[in-house]
């Protein structure tokens, strides 16, 4: 067959679409596979990372379809978000038009790769029907107290009078006008993900061996469970007086109660209420006030990256065990929203405390002893050891000291043992236009009231001015002004929209519901039960924390709200490696991108697919390589050339194994090994090492080409087409139809007979004359060879006695006999 990718690729893409080959079936008695590559953001064009992501998922989906599984392999668009709005600001386009135009471009690009997506489950998260159910979920969660409103800090550009997303803050300045960004406290909506911290952590254990362990670790660290002691420091009476009676104590949290006697100061977050009160009263030197204001204006995320800084507060607290007076500092390394926003500092045994103490010349006190400890003042000794200088707890080991000190605090009502999580509640409101509107209404008499379900979805107005100053929804009175669903009085809509992570937290559940029901159901109950969990979820490691955590969380919330029975959405996770060129990640800014369209235009989709799956195993980095692309193309061409040796038959030839020659056996063995390898690869034994499977196909094609039995060739060729179908589907379907009259693929199983390891032919001579042959496995022992040989030539041995046995391993047995 002449290889003409342009002609055959279009043809098969249309065939699949018209025949609905890739649509999931509603028969829930069939075995199922739900294969999902993370949906794309419609940025405008697909890149090689997308190609890789979707080719991996497609090969898996096609394989299982061929094995008679009912396969759900959907695609959609993560369509809300800032870039659409930024494009609107820069180019005066409308976010909606920009987004849907990009979707149709990118959908065409994906189609040109021959990806076997369901066409009938596709949606964009900015479709109003998707917003409807998301708003319903929001209201359900609000009614359950799972969403609350609280003041939080946001990046604020004083010039543009607008809230900035983190990505819009460049080195502390506004991306548009370069004004210095400040932190402004505003109302925000939060989801209580912390209510699920324990379950989110605990059920990671069920994913062990199914998710990459690195991702499990990242999730565990992000949730960050720690056990420790929480207790209050009382202010000294003079300090109480100084602050005017509005405070008499503050809480701290420590994971090292065993170091309690080593406390030499306390450090408070710059936002701590006590610090704020001092600032409000102006009871600090001017330079301290200024330094504090400066510290507060640095976004929390950046503080970890700058040198430690602090301000002495001129207050003292009483050590709960020793009664000593402990000085208070405000410090930029103390997080406002962890523990209680204040720490007992132990410079001798904590690195941060040590650094800070060194800078401000604060004393240190060693309380943990160990042979390995550095001498005091050189560095902090942060491991455990034996307690010293610790009163009644002297001599205890750290672990038991922790327990005993916590018990002591509890018995004396000084504090209590607590479990803290690093995980914070999820701030889900954004002061932007292009997002799902938050379905709440502010009523002057009723307060905050959820919109009536019958009024959902609340859609975005289209006639807005998007100029980068403020939230366009704020400036649209016709949209904003409404009636209160409770009292019917004049009210205003919430103008905040939702974080786009909300949309990507349930799209995989939505796909399980057939399109006909999207209007009437959030999720079809029977269908989510059938399809969930996702059998293979494929995407970039950059989503290892936030997206996966939010998606797991949302699934659990929807379960508790009665929408799904799923506990964990993603049964298996495959994190694909990056695509590199010249050793660097392909990116616009580096100017090293390869445009997938050009690749497809030049070589065809099958070459692109073969290249990305052959160049590296899915989880590894993939280095771009022009000659490997050409190699992939040549292999497909060779496959087409070889088709001429196929016997056109309606039934596959029956192979009589016993009579085959050595090369025939070898060719069959290679072919059936490839089939076996395919089974292993898709059972995720080696994280889908398509590269080794393809290599095996190449070897098998070579072996087939080396021998002349047309039946063997035909059988082998047919099997190779089947193994290659998930990888190079267009050409596989074309060849299958052309040479076998089949426009489909069926499951095949390797012939165990063909797989048997090659036996060697051993010649047997008696007194130097060849008297027979035996078949032996390579490397058989001398004893085994002799035994088999004697059996074989027994009639030459009758009445003789053997005087010498010579064995040449894997080759020959010679017996010297005498009457
Ligand atoms: C005294 C101490 C002595 C501490 C020592 C550690 C070692 P994890 O494990 O992450 O939970 N900490 C508490 N609240 C903090 C906050 N808001 N900002 C910054 N640091 C805070 O960390 C708990 C430890 O981090 C706590 O234990 C506390 O320092 C500090 F040798 O208390 B530790
Ligand atoms: Zn009202």
């Amino acid at each position: 067959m002449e290889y003409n990718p342009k002609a055959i690729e279009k043809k098969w893409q249309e065939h699949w679409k018209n025949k609905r080959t890739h649509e999931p079936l509603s028969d829930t008695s069939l075995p199922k596979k739900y294969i999902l590559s993370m949906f794309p953001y419609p940025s405008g064009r697909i890149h090689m990372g997308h190609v890789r992501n979707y080719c991996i998922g497609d090969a898996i989906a096609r394989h299982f379809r061929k094995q008679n599984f009912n396969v759900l392999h959907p695609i959609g668009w993560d369509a809300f978000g800032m870039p659409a709005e930024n494009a609107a600001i820069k180019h005066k386009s409308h976010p909606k038009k920009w987004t849907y135009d990009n979707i149709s471009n990118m959908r065409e690009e994906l189609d040109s790769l021959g990806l076997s997506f369901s066409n009938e489950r596709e949606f964009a998260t900015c479709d109003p029907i998707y917003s409807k159910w998301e708003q319903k979920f929001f209201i359900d969660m609000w009614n359950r107290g799972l969403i609350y409103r609280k003041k939080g800090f946001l990046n604020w550009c004083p010039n543009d009078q607008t809230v900035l997303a983190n990505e819009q803050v460049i080195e502390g300045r506004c991306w548009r006008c370069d004004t210095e960004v400040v932190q402004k406290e505003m109302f925000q909506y939060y989801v209580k993900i912390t209510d699920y911290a324990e379950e989110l952590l605990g059920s990671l254990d069920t994913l062990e061996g199914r998710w990459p362990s690195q991702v499990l670790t990242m999730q565990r660290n992000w949730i960050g469970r720690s056990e420790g002691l929480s207790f209050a420091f009382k202010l000294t009476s003079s300090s109480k007086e100084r602050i005017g009676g509005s405070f008499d104590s503050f809480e701290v949290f420590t994971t090292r109660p065993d170091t309690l006697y080593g406390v030499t100061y306390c450090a408070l977050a710059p936002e701590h209420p006590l610090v704020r009160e001092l600032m409000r009263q102006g009871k600090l030197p001017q330079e301290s006030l200024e330094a504090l204001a400066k510290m507060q204006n640095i976004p929390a995320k950046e503080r970890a990256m700058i040198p430690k800084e602090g301000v002495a507060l001129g207050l003292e607290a009483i050590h709960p065990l020793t009664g000593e007076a402990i000085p208070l500092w405000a410090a930029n390394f103390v997080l406002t929203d962890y523990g209680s926003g204040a720490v007992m500092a132990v410079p001798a045994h904590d690195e941060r405390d040590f650094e800070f103490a060194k800078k401000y010349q604060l004393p240190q006190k060693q309380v943990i002893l160990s042979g390995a400890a550095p001498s005091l003042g050189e560095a902090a000794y942060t491991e455990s050891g034996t307690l010293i200088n610790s009163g009644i707890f002297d001599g205890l080991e750290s672990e038991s000291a922790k327990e005993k000190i916590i018990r002591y605090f509890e018995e004396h009502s000084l504090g209590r043992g607590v479990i803290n999580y690093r995980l914070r509640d999820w701030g889900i409101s954004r002061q932007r236009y292009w997002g799902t509107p938050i379905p709440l209404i502010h009523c002057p008499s009723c307060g905050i009231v959820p919109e009536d379900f019958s009024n959902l979805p609340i859609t975005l107005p289209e006639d807005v001015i998007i100029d980068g100053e403020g939230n366009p929804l704020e400036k649209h009175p016709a949209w904003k002004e409404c009636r209160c669903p409770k009292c019917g009085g004049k009210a205003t809509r919430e103008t905040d929209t939702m974080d786009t992570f909300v949309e990507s937290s349930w799209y995989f559940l939505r796909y399980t519901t057939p399109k006909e029901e999207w209007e009437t159901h959030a999720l079809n109950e029977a269908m989510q039960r059938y399809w969930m969990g996702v059998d293979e979820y494929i995407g970039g490691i950059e989503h290892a924390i936030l997206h996966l955590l939010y998606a797991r969380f949302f699934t659990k919330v929807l379960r508790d709200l009665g929408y799904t029975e799923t506990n964990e959405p993603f049964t298996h996770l495959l994190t694909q490696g990056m695509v590199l060129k010249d050793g660097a990640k392909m990116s616009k800014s580096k100017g090293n991108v390869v445009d997938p369209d050009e690749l497809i235009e030049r070589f065809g989709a099958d070459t692109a697919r073969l290249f990305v799956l052959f160049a590296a195993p899915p989880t590894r980095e993939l280095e771009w390589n022009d000659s490997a692309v050409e190699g992939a193309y040549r292999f497909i061409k060779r496959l087409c050339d070889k088709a001429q040796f196929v016997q056109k038959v309606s039934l596959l030839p029956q192979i009589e194994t016993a009579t085959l020659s050595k090369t025939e056996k070898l060719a069959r063995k290679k072919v059936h090994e490839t089939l076996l390898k395919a089974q292993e690869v898709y059972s995720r034994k080696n994280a889908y090492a398509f590269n080794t499977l393809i290599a095996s196909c190449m070897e098998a094609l070579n072996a087939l080409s080396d021998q002349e039995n047309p039946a063997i060739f035909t059988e082998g060729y047919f099997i190779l087409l089947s193994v290659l179908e998930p990888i190079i589907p267009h050409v596989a379907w074309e060849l299958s139809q052309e040479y076998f009259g089949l426009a489909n693929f069926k499951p095949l199983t390797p012939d165990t007979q063909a797989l048997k390891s090659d036996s060697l032919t051993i010649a047997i001579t008696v007194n130097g004359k060849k008297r027979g042959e035996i078949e032996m496995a390579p490397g058989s022992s001398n004893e085994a060879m002799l035994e088999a040989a004697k059996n074989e030539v027994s009639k030459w041995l009758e009445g003789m006695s053997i005087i010498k046995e010579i064995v040449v391993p894997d080759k020959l047995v010679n017996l010297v006999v005498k009457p």
Side-chain angles (χ1 to χ4, degrees):
M1 188 186 91
E2 189 65 36
Y3 180 42
N4 180 355
K6 280 230 169 69
I8 64 172
E9 290 182 356
K10 265 264 135 358
K11 168 183 151 189
W12 287 105
Q13 285 159 15
E14 272 160 26
H15 172 91
W16 296 325
K17 193 166 184 179
N18 296 336
K19 293 266 174 273
R20 304 181 66 248
T21 313
H22 306 140
E23 297 307 326
L25 306 174
S26 54
D27 181 355
T28 55
S29 69
L30 298 170
K32 69 93 188 180
K33 287 284 175 186
Y34 184 178
I35 309 300
L36 183 64
S37 292
M38 291 179 183
F39 68 167
Y41 177 78
S43 55
R45 299 183 69 81
I46 62 166
H47 52 68
M48 285 308 297
H50 291 124
V51 173
R52 189 174 196 198
N53 194 186
Y54 299 121
C55 287
I56 294 168
D58 199 54
I60 301 172
R62 283 178 177 274
H63 169 81
F64 285 111
R65 224 179 264 121
K66 191 176 63 181
Q67 299 298 113
N68 288 336
F69 280 83
N70 187 14
V71 174
L72 176 58
H73 184 224
I75 183 79
W77 305 92
D78 190 11
F80 273 134
M82 247 190 9
E85 224 165 313
N86 291 349
I89 297 166
K90 277 195 182 150
H91 312 300
K92 307 252 174 288
S93 58
H94 194 281
K96 182 175 172 183
K97 181 170 174 0
W98 185 87
T99 303
Y100 282 103
D101 284 354
N102 285 351
I103 288 176
S104 74
N105 279 343
M106 290 173 74
R107 181 65 218 234
E108 252 176 58
E109 292 181 286
L110 292 181
D111 281 344
S112 74
L113 275 166
L115 300 167
S116 67
F117 291 130
S118 156
N119 288 305
E120 296 165 18
R121 300 273 164 117
E122 180 177 343
F123 58 78
T125 55
C126 60
D127 295 344
I129 192 60
Y130 194 79
S131 299
K132 170 173 162 174
W133 296 108
E134 191 162 301
Q135 288 167 345
K136 172 78 164 74
F137 297 152
F138 184 102
I139 292 169
D140 288 351
M141 289 165 80
W142 175 265
N143 289 339
R144 278 227 181 176
L146 274 172
I147 295 179
Y148 62 94
R149 193 168 181 251
K150 186 190 89 173
K151 277 197 166 170
F153 287 92
L154 295 171
N155 305 310
W156 175 258
C157 172
N159 180 48
D160 292 339
Q161 292 285 300
T162 196
V163 173
L164 299 174
N166 288 336
E167 305 91 298
Q168 291 174 320
V169 182
I170 296 162
E171 289 175 8
R173 293 174 176 276
C174 172
W175 68 303
R176 282 184 71 224
C177 68
D178 215 33
T179 306
E180 202 160 317
V181 170
V182 297
Q183 297 297 299
K184 190 175 172 184
E185 208 175 17
M186 292 170 78
F187 275 113
Q188 295 225 79
Y189 293 89
Y190 291 88
V191 185
K192 279 194 186 163
I193 190 171
T194 50
D195 275 11
Y196 284 74
E198 210 179 308
E199 191 190 341
L200 285 168
L201 184 69
S203 59
L204 285 174
D205 293 346
T206 67
L207 302 175
E208 208 70 65
R210 301 160 179 263
W211 281 32
S213 55
Q214 174 201 10
V215 175
L216 293 175
T217 305
M218 283 156 95
Q219 294 245 329
R220 287 189 180 111
N221 291 343
W222 188 262
I223 297 168
R225 179 184 194 276
S226 29
E227 283 180 34
L229 171 69
S230 178
F231 68 96
F233 271 97
K234 292 199 167 73
L235 295 183
T236 59
S237 50
S238 61
S239 290
K240 250 187 276 184
E241 232 163 75
R242 177 141 179 269
I243 200 164
S246 43
F247 279 90
D248 61 4
S249 68
F250 62 93
E251 285 277 321
V252 296
F253 168 68
T254 177
T255 49
R256 294 293 304 270
D258 56 318
T259 64
L260 229 144
Y261 285 80
V263 174
T264 57
Y265 63 99
C266 282
L268 279 57
E271 290 80 8
H272 194 284
L274 205 154
V275 179
R276 287 178 174 252
E277 180 60 17
L278 278 178
M279 287 174 79
R280 196 186 63 78
Q281 297 177 5
K283 280 195 182 147
L284 285 168
Q286 193 54 32
E287 53 179 355
S288 296
L289 290 172
E290 278 165 21
L292 284 170
K294 214 173 136 211
M295 286 189 331
Q296 288 174 351
N297 253 332
I298 295 175
K301 279 196 194 92
E302 278 170 42
R303 293 185 197 173
M305 274 130 27
I306 57 175
K308 297 196 172 34
E309 246 176 74
V311 171
L313 297 176
L315 297 175
E316 285 177 331
I318 305 162
H319 190 291
L321 298 181
T322 65
E324 277 171 293
I326 306 285
L328 303 196
W329 286 70
N332 64 351
F333 69 87
V334 183
L335 309 168
T336 315
D337 57 359
Y338 186 64
S340 53
V343 304
M344 61 174 228
V346 186
H349 301 293
D350 179 89
E351 259 153 38
R352 290 170 304 179
D353 299 348
F354 175 82
E355 239 181 84
F356 190 86
K358 221 165 169 168
K359 177 160 179 176
Y360 295 103
Q361 291 164 4
L362 300 167
Q364 300 184 37
K365 199 176 147 199
Q366 189 185 358
V367 292
I368 305 288
L369 188 66
S370 155
S375 56
L376 196 63
E378 263 172 27
Y381 173 70
T382 60
E383 307 294 306
S384 43
T386 313
L387 272 68
I388 52 167
N389 303 326
S390 296
I392 54 167
F393 303 102
D394 270 356
L396 291 174
E397 291 303 311
S398 287
E399 280 321 301
S400 69
K402 282 181 190 171
E403 267 171 48
K404 295 220 162 85
I405 291 176
I406 290 175
R407 197 172 332 131
Y408 183 93
F409 270 71
E410 286 178 344
E411 278 164 5
H412 294 78
S413 302
L414 291 170
R416 66 213 153 83
V418 292
I419 294 167
N420 250 318
Y421 292 93
R422 208 147 264 284
L423 184 67
R424 296 281 71 105
D425 277 344
W426 173 16
I428 58 159
S429 44
R430 299 289 179 272
Q431 293 65 38
R432 337 216 114 253
Y433 168 74
W434 193 235
T436 310
I438 287 181
L440 295 177
I441 287 164
H442 299 267
C443 169
S445 27
C446 311
I448 299 179
V449 186
E451 179 59 282
D452 275 341
F453 178 64
S454 60
N455 290 336
L456 301 185
I458 300 159
T459 53
L460 293 166
E462 289 190 27
D463 54 334
V464 283
I465 304 148
I466 301 173
D467 53 12
E469 289 167 26
N471 179 352
L473 294 175
E474 283 287 352
K475 300 183 282 186
H476 196 298
W479 183 85
K480 196 179 163 185
E481 286 162 15
C482 66
R483 292 271 156 195
C484 168
K486 216 166 172 182
C487 69
K490 275 196 175 177
T492 54
R493 288 195 185 289
E494 174 58 63
T495 55
D496 282 0
T497 53
M498 291 187 221
D499 179 3
T500 59
F501 272 118
V502 179
E503 283 90 63
S504 53
S505 291
W506 67 284
Y507 77 109
F508 47 88
L509 280 161
R510 180 67 164 177
Y511 284 139
T512 64
T513 300
K515 196 167 210 147
E516 307 82 76
E517 293 173 42
W518 286 357
E519 209 49 64
T520 52
H521 291 78
L523 303 177
N524 173 312
E525 200 190 309
M527 286 300 165
Q528 63 75 25
R529 191 178 308 128
Y530 173 62
W531 287 114
M532 291 302 287
V534 175
D535 294 283
E536 199 66 61
Y537 193 35
I538 306 137
I541 188 82
E542 66 274 19
H543 297 295
I545 298 177
L546 291 184
H547 162 58
L548 291 171
L549 189 68
Y550 293 150
R552 295 179 60 225
F553 162 64
F554 227 78
T555 302
K556 290 174 195 297
V557 169
L558 293 184
R559 175 201 63 198
D560 292 347
L561 292 170
Y563 288 99
T564 178
E565 283 140 40
T566 314
N567 288 316
E568 280 294 336
F570 311 122
T571 310
H572 294 107
L573 176 70
L574 182 69
T575 47
Q576 110 230 21
M578 278 195 302
V579 180
L580 313 178
K581 188 167 183 219
D582 308 318
K585 179 181 174 173
M586 268 193 192
S587 74
K588 265 194 206 137
S589 59
K590 292 208 187 70
N592 63 349
V593 263
V594 174
D595 181 4
D597 285 352
E598 275 170 34
L599 180 65
I600 297 167
E601 175 63 26
R602 217 173 130 206
F603 296 100
D606 284 335
T607 296
R609 299 174 60 120
L610 183 63
F611 165 73
V612 295
L613 295 180
F614 187 44
T619 55
R620 297 283 183 74
E621 289 175 340
L622 185 160
E623 177 70 50
W624 182 263
N625 179 335
D626 288 309
S627 66
V629 174
E630 283 158 26
Y633 181 78
R634 277 198 308 274
F635 172 72
I636 299 175
K637 219 165 140 348
R638 186 166 140 79
L639 185 72
C640 293
D641 289 344
K642 293 286 171 198
Q644 57 180 308
F645 301 111
V646 166
Q647 285 178 314
K648 291 214 180 185
V649 284
S650 53
L651 271 180
L652 266 195
Q654 281 294 313
I655 310 282
E656 217 20 272
T657 332
T659 60
L660 296 181
S661 75
K662 235 171 153 174
T663 56
E664 288 168 343
K665 276 192 187 153
L666 183 75
R668 277 200 95 219
K669 184 162 177 250
K670 287 274 177 208
V671 167
H672 286 268
E673 271 174 359
T674 303
L675 196 49
L676 185 69
K677 181 145 234 154
Q679 286 183 346
E680 287 172 7
V681 163
Y682 293 102
S683 66
R684 71 191 321 279
K685 232 182 205 162
N686 37 21
Y688 302 100
F690 296 111
N691 55 325
T692 63
L693 179 60
I694 295 165
S696 177
C697 289
M698 291 173 170
E699 276 178 38
L701 186 64
N702 287 343
L704 282 178
S705 311
D706 282 350
Q707 54 77 54
E708 282 153 9
N709 181 337
I712 302 263
F713 185 88
T714 303
E715 182 215 32
Y717 194 86
F718 182 77
I719 291 172
L720 283 189
L721 284 189
S722 171
V723 172
L724 286 165
E725 189 271 341
I727 297 163
I728 47 173
H730 307 88
V731 70
W733 282 66
E734 179 70 17
L735 289 165
S736 173
Q737 190 184 49
E738 178 71 21
Y739 291 92
F740 297 94
L742 296 170
N744 59 31
F745 286 86
K746 289 269 163 285
L748 298 173
T749 35
D751 177 355
T752 46
Q753 208 59 35
L755 290 173
K756 286 223 172 99
S757 76
D758 287 351
S759 56
L760 298 165
T761 308
I762 312 287
I764 309 159
T765 56
V766 179
N767 291 345
K769 281 211 177 88
K770 185 163 173 192
R771 297 298 185 195
E773 273 181 6
I774 47 170
E775 296 289 307
M776 295 294 293
S780 299
S781 69
N782 288 2
E783 290 73 27
M785 282 176 66
L786 273 171
E787 200 193 341
K790 286 178 196 166
N791 266 335
E792 179 67 22
V793 297
S794 56
K795 73 171 178 187
W796 302 97
L797 304 178
E798 263 168 47
M800 300 284 189
S801 51
I802 300 172
I803 51 170
K804 207 168 178 193
E805 302 170 338
I806 303 155
V807 179
V808 183
D810 289 354
K811 283 219 167 74
L812 175 105
V813 177
N814 186 22
L815 303 169
V816 181
V817 298
K818 200 172 77 174

